[in-house]
Amino acid sequence: MPPAVIVDHDPAWPVRAQRLLDEVGAVFAPLAGSDRFAYEHIGSTAVPGLAAKPFLDLQVRMPSLPGLAELADVLAPTPFVVARGARPDSPGVHRDTPRPGDPTDAALYEKRLFSAPTEAAILHVRRTDSPFAGYVVDFRDWLRHHADQARRYEQIKRALAELHAGGPDYDDYTRAKSAFLDEVQPRVRDWARNRAQ
């Protein structure tokens, strides 16, 4: 993946994301329990008006995770291939890091990660009960409903992208955003709980 470069929001992103999710949904349809899979456009490209790295983040939530090789075979007709990360300990490749206060059972955070270089897209396959999977959707929706915080997040991301532009490891940019995520997490959680009531 190239260095973090932030670009203005592209209204075509959600359309491209839905097309790719439809492709993934078509090949996942024969899998056991596929009627309970959730297909979601997540990340900054899913927030209208928010500048972002021009890579679509897509998520599929399923009750249990098939093996990586099995999923790779199922995804073979699509542009998605197994993602390896920048280095062996790259965050979010084989498992997610629990958010502060969330359960720490390692099994909940196991994931499968794929990328589609020709489509500039990343596919995160997570368990339905993954707290992290739920959080990324809550965070996306919170930003959609809080334009002031979306603008602030954009400013932070632009500054971090510039700071890490010459760095050899794009994971540094990803880790550097965690301060903002940690700061707003209580507000995101409260908002999500109130919305669910």
Coordinates of all heavy atoms in Angstrom, one line a residue, residues 68-122:
L68 N -8.4 -18.9 6.1 CA -7.9 -17.9 5.2 C -7.8 -18.5 3.8 O -8.3 -17.8 2.8 CB -6.5 -17.3 5.6 CG -5.9 -16.3 4.7 CD1 -6.8 -15.0 4.7 CD2 -4.5 -15.9 5.2
A69 N -7.3 -19.7 3.6 CA -7.2 -20.3 2.3 C -8.5 -20.6 1.7 O -8.7 -20.3 0.5 CB -6.4 -21.6 2.4
E70 N -9.5 -21.0 2.5 CA -10.8 -21.2 2.0 C -11.5 -19.9 1.5 O -12.0 -19.9 0.4 CB -11.7 -21.8 3.1 CG -13.2 -22.1 2.6 CD -14.1 -22.6 3.7 OE1 -13.6 -23.0 4.8 OE2 -15.3 -22.6 3.5
L71 N -11.3 -18.9 2.2 CA -11.9 -17.6 1.8 C -11.2 -17.1 0.6 O -11.8 -16.5 -0.3 CB -11.8 -16.6 2.9 CG -12.9 -16.6 4.0 CD1 -12.7 -15.5 5.0 CD2 -14.3 -16.5 3.3
A72 N -9.9 -17.3 0.5 CA -9.1 -16.8 -0.7 C -9.7 -17.5 -1.9 O -9.8 -16.9 -3.0 CB -7.7 -17.1 -0.5
D73 N -9.9 -18.8 -1.8 CA -10.5 -19.6 -2.9 C -11.9 -19.1 -3.3 O -12.2 -18.9 -4.5 CB -10.6 -21.1 -2.6 CG -9.2 -21.8 -2.6 OD1 -8.2 -21.2 -3.1 OD2 -9.1 -22.9 -2.0
V74 N -12.7 -18.8 -2.3 CA -14.0 -18.3 -2.6 C -14.0 -16.9 -3.3 O -14.7 -16.6 -4.2 CB -14.9 -18.2 -1.3 CG1 -16.2 -17.5 -1.6 CG2 -15.1 -19.6 -0.7
L75 N -13.0 -16.1 -2.9 CA -12.9 -14.7 -3.5 C -12.1 -14.7 -4.8 O -12.0 -13.6 -5.4 CB -12.2 -13.8 -2.4 CG -13.0 -13.4 -1.2 CD1 -12.2 -12.8 -0.2 CD2 -14.1 -12.4 -1.7
A76 N -11.6 -15.8 -5.2 CA -10.8 -15.9 -6.5 C -11.5 -15.2 -7.7 O -10.8 -14.5 -8.5 CB -10.4 -17.3 -6.8
P77 N -12.8 -15.3 -7.9 CA -13.4 -14.6 -9.0 C -13.5 -13.1 -8.9 O -13.9 -12.4 -9.8 CB -14.8 -15.2 -9.1 CG -14.8 -16.5 -8.2 CD -13.8 -16.2 -7.2
T78 N -13.2 -12.6 -7.7 CA -13.3 -11.1 -7.4 C -11.9 -10.6 -7.5 O -10.9 -11.3 -7.6 CB -13.9 -10.9 -6.1 OG1 -12.9 -11.1 -5.0 CG2 -15.1 -11.7 -5.8
P79 N -11.7 -9.2 -7.4 CA -10.4 -8.6 -7.4 C -9.6 -8.8 -6.1 O -8.4 -8.4 -6.0 CB -10.6 -7.2 -7.6 CG -12.1 -7.0 -8.0 CD -12.8 -8.2 -7.5
F80 N -10.2 -9.4 -5.1 CA -9.6 -9.5 -3.8 C -8.6 -10.7 -3.6 O -9.0 -11.8 -3.9 CB -10.7 -9.6 -2.7 CG -11.4 -8.3 -2.5 CD1 -12.6 -8.1 -3.1 CD2 -10.8 -7.2 -1.8 CE1 -13.3 -6.9 -3.0 CE2 -11.5 -6.0 -1.7 CZ -12.8 -5.8 -2.3
V81 N -7.5 -10.4 -3.1 CA -6.4 -11.4 -2.7 C -6.0 -11.2 -1.3 O -6.2 -10.1 -0.7 CB -5.2 -11.2 -3.7 CG1 -5.6 -11.5 -5.1 CG2 -4.6 -9.8 -3.6
V82 N -5.3 -12.2 -0.7 CA -4.9 -12.1 0.7 C -3.9 -10.9 0.8 O -3.0 -10.7 0.1 CB -4.2 -13.4 1.1 CG1 -3.6 -13.3 2.5 CG2 -5.1 -14.6 1.0
A83 N -4.2 -10.1 1.9 CA -3.3 -9.0 2.2 C -2.3 -9.4 3.3 O -2.7 -10.1 4.2 CB -4.2 -7.8 2.8
R84 N -1.1 -9.0 3.1 CA 0.0 -9.4 4.0 C 0.4 -8.3 5.0 O 1.0 -8.6 6.0 CB 1.2 -9.8 3.2 CG 0.9 -10.9 2.2 CD 0.6 -12.2 2.9 NE 0.3 -13.3 1.9 CZ -0.2 -14.4 2.2 NH1 -0.5 -14.7 3.4 NH2 -0.4 -15.3 1.3
G85 N 0.2 -7.1 4.8 CA 0.6 -6.0 5.7 C 2.0 -5.6 5.3 O 2.8 -6.3 4.6
A86 N 2.5 -4.5 5.9 CA 3.8 -3.9 5.6 C 4.9 -4.7 6.3 O 6.0 -4.7 5.9 CB 3.9 -2.5 6.0
R87 N 4.6 -5.4 7.4 CA 5.5 -6.1 8.2 C 4.8 -7.2 9.0 O 3.6 -7.1 9.1 CB 6.4 -5.2 9.1 CG 5.5 -4.4 10.1 CD 6.4 -3.3 10.7 NE 5.7 -2.7 11.8 CZ 6.0 -1.5 12.3 NH1 7.0 -0.8 11.8 NH2 5.3 -1.0 13.3
P88 N 5.5 -8.1 9.6 CA 4.8 -9.2 10.3 C 3.9 -8.8 11.4 O 2.9 -9.5 11.7 CB 6.0 -10.1 10.9 CG 7.1 -9.8 9.9 CD 6.9 -8.4 9.5
D89 N 4.2 -7.7 12.1 CA 3.3 -7.2 13.2 C 2.4 -6.1 12.8 O 1.9 -5.4 13.6 CB 4.2 -6.8 14.4 CG 5.0 -5.6 14.1 OD1 5.2 -5.2 12.9 OD2 5.4 -4.9 15.1
S90 N 2.1 -5.9 11.5 CA 1.2 -4.9 11.0 C -0.1 -5.0 11.7 O -0.7 -6.1 11.8 CB 1.0 -5.0 9.5 OG 2.2 -4.5 8.8
P91 N -0.6 -3.9 12.3 CA -1.9 -4.0 13.0 C -3.1 -4.3 12.1 O -3.1 -3.8 10.9 CB -2.0 -2.6 13.7 CG -1.2 -1.7 12.8 CD -0.1 -2.6 12.3
G92 N -4.0 -5.1 12.5 CA -5.2 -5.3 11.8 C -5.2 -6.2 10.6 O -6.1 -6.3 9.8
V93 N -4.1 -7.0 10.5 CA -4.0 -7.9 9.4 C -4.6 -9.3 9.8 O -5.6 -9.7 9.1 CB -2.6 -8.1 8.9 CG1 -2.5 -9.2 7.8 CG2 -2.0 -6.8 8.4
H94 N -4.1 -9.9 10.9 CA -4.7 -11.2 11.3 C -5.7 -11.0 12.5 O -6.4 -11.9 12.7 CB -3.5 -12.1 11.7 CG -2.5 -12.3 10.6 ND1 -2.8 -13.0 9.5 CD2 -1.2 -11.9 10.5 CE1 -1.8 -13.0 8.7 NE2 -0.8 -12.3 9.3
R95 N -5.6 -9.9 13.2 CA -6.5 -9.7 14.2 C -6.6 -8.2 14.5 O -5.6 -7.5 14.2 CB -6.2 -10.5 15.5 CG -4.9 -10.1 16.2 CD -4.6 -11.1 17.3 NE -4.5 -12.4 16.9 CZ -5.4 -13.4 17.1 NH1 -6.5 -13.1 17.7 NH2 -5.3 -14.6 16.6
D96 N -7.7 -7.8 15.1 CA -7.8 -6.4 15.5 C -7.3 -6.2 17.0 O -7.4 -7.2 17.7 CB -9.3 -5.9 15.4 CG -9.8 -5.9 14.0 OD1 -9.1 -5.3 13.1 OD2 -10.8 -6.6 13.7
T97 N -7.0 -5.0 17.3 CA -6.6 -4.7 18.7 C -7.9 -4.2 19.4 O -8.6 -3.3 18.9 CB -5.6 -3.5 18.7 OG1 -4.4 -4.0 17.9 CG2 -5.1 -3.2 20.1
P98 N -8.2 -4.8 20.6 CA -9.4 -4.4 21.3 C -9.3 -2.9 21.6 O -8.3 -2.3 21.9 CB -9.3 -5.2 22.6 CG -8.5 -6.4 22.2 CD -7.5 -5.9 21.2
R99 N -10.5 -2.2 21.5 CA -10.6 -0.8 21.9 C -10.6 -0.8 23.4 O -11.0 -1.8 24.1 CB -11.9 -0.2 21.4 CG -12.0 -0.2 19.8 CD -11.1 0.7 19.2 NE -11.1 2.1 19.8 CZ -10.1 2.9 19.9 NH1 -8.9 2.5 19.5 NH2 -10.2 4.0 20.5
P100 N -10.2 0.3 24.0 CA -10.2 0.4 25.5 C -11.5 0.1 26.1 O -12.6 0.6 25.6 CB -9.8 1.9 25.7 CG -9.0 2.3 24.5 CD -9.6 1.5 23.4
G101 N -11.5 -0.8 27.1 CA -12.8 -1.1 27.8 C -13.5 -2.3 27.2 O -14.5 -2.8 27.7
D102 N -13.1 -2.8 26.0 CA -13.8 -3.9 25.3 C -13.3 -5.2 25.8 O -12.2 -5.3 26.4 CB -13.6 -3.8 23.8 CG -14.6 -2.9 23.1 OD1 -15.5 -2.4 23.8 OD2 -14.4 -2.6 21.9
P103 N -14.1 -6.3 25.7 CA -13.6 -7.6 26.1 C -12.2 -7.9 25.4 O -12.0 -7.4 24.3 CB -14.7 -8.6 25.5 CG -15.9 -7.7 25.3 CD -15.4 -6.4 25.0
T104 N -11.4 -8.7 26.0 CA -10.1 -9.0 25.5 C -9.9 -10.4 25.0 O -8.8 -10.8 24.6 CB -9.0 -8.8 26.6 OG1 -9.3 -9.6 27.7 CG2 -9.0 -7.3 27.0
D105 N -11.0 -11.2 24.9 CA -11.0 -12.6 24.4 C -10.4 -12.5 22.9 O -11.0 -12.0 22.0 CB -12.4 -13.2 24.4 CG -12.4 -14.6 23.8 OD1 -11.3 -15.1 23.4 OD2 -13.5 -15.1 23.7
A106 N -9.2 -13.1 22.7 CA -8.5 -13.0 21.5 C -9.3 -13.5 20.3 O -9.3 -13.0 19.2 CB -7.2 -13.7 21.5
A107 N -10.2 -14.5 20.5 CA -11.0 -15.1 19.5 C -11.9 -14.1 18.8 O -12.2 -14.2 17.6 CB -11.7 -16.3 20.0
L108 N -12.4 -13.2 19.6 CA -13.3 -12.2 19.1 C -12.7 -11.3 18.0 O -13.4 -10.7 17.2 CB -13.9 -11.3 20.2 CG -14.8 -12.0 21.3 CD1 -15.0 -11.0 22.4 CD2 -16.1 -12.4 20.6
Y109 N -11.4 -11.1 18.1 CA -10.7 -10.2 17.2 C -10.0 -10.8 16.0 O -9.4 -10.1 15.3 CB -9.7 -9.3 18.1 CG -10.5 -8.6 19.2 CD1 -10.6 -9.1 20.4 CD2 -11.1 -7.4 18.9 CE1 -11.3 -8.5 21.4 CE2 -11.8 -6.7 19.9 CZ -11.9 -7.3 21.1 OH -12.6 -6.6 22.1
E110 N -10.1 -12.1 15.9 CA -9.5 -12.7 14.7 C -10.2 -12.2 13.5 O -11.4 -12.0 13.5 CB -9.7 -14.3 14.8 CG -9.0 -15.0 13.8 CD -9.1 -16.5 13.9 OE1 -9.8 -17.0 14.9 OE2 -8.7 -17.3 13.0
K111 N -9.5 -12.1 12.4 CA -10.1 -11.6 11.2 C -9.3 -12.1 9.9 O -8.3 -12.8 10.1 CB -10.0 -10.0 11.1 CG -8.6 -9.5 11.0 CD -8.6 -8.0 11.1 CE -9.1 -7.3 9.8 NZ -8.8 -5.9 9.7
R112 N -9.9 -11.9 8.8 CA -9.3 -12.2 7.5 C -9.2 -10.9 6.7 O -10.2 -10.2 6.7 CB -10.1 -13.2 6.7 CG -10.5 -14.5 7.5 CD -9.3 -15.4 7.8 NE -9.8 -16.6 8.5 CZ -9.5 -16.9 9.7 NH1 -8.8 -16.0 10.5 NH2 -10.0 -18.0 10.3
L113 N -8.1 -10.6 6.1 CA -7.9 -9.3 5.4 C -7.5 -9.6 4.0 O -6.6 -10.4 3.7 CB -6.8 -8.5 6.1 CG -6.6 -7.1 5.6 CD1 -7.9 -6.2 5.9 CD2 -5.4 -6.4 6.2
F114 N -8.2 -8.9 3.1 CA -7.9 -9.0 1.7 C -7.8 -7.6 1.1 O -8.4 -6.7 1.6 CB -9.1 -9.8 1.0 CG -9.2 -11.2 1.5 CD1 -10.0 -11.5 2.6 CD2 -8.6 -12.2 0.8 CE1 -10.1 -12.8 3.1 CE2 -8.7 -13.6 1.3 CZ -9.5 -13.8 2.4
S115 N -7.1 -7.5 0.0 CA -7.0 -6.3 -0.7 C -7.3 -6.5 -2.2 O -7.1 -7.6 -2.7 CB -5.6 -5.6 -0.5 OG -4.6 -6.4 -1.2
A116 N -7.7 -5.4 -2.9 CA -7.9 -5.4 -4.3 C -7.2 -4.3 -4.9 O -7.7 -3.2 -5.0 CB -9.4 -5.3 -4.6
P117 N -5.9 -4.5 -5.2 CA -5.0 -3.3 -5.6 C -5.6 -2.6 -6.9 O -5.5 -1.4 -7.0 CB -3.7 -4.0 -5.9 CG -3.7 -5.3 -5.1 CD -5.1 -5.7 -5.0
T118 N -6.2 -3.4 -7.8 CA -6.7 -2.8 -9.0 C -8.0 -1.9 -8.7 O -8.3 -1.0 -9.5 CB -7.1 -3.8 -10.0 OG1 -8.1 -4.7 -9.5 CG2 -5.9 -4.6 -10.5
E119 N -8.6 -2.1 -7.6 CA -9.8 -1.4 -7.2 C -9.5 -0.4 -6.0 O -10.4 0.3 -5.6 CB -10.9 -2.3 -6.7 CG -11.4 -3.3 -7.8 CD -12.3 -2.5 -8.8 OE1 -12.7 -1.4 -8.5 OE2 -12.7 -3.2 -9.8
A120 N -8.3 -0.4 -5.5 CA -7.9 0.4 -4.4 C -8.9 0.2 -3.2 O -9.6 1.1 -2.7 CB -7.9 1.9 -4.7
A121 N -9.1 -1.1 -2.9 CA -10.1 -1.5 -1.8 C -9.5 -2.5 -0.9 O -8.6 -3.3 -1.3 CB -11.3 -2.0 -2.5
I122 N -10.0 -2.5 0.3 CA -9.5 -3.4 1.4 C -10.8 -4.1 1.9 O -11.8 -3.4 2.2 CB -8.8 -2.7 2.5 CG1 -7.5 -2.0 1.9 CG2 -8.3 -3.7 3.6 CD1 -6.9 -1.0 2.8

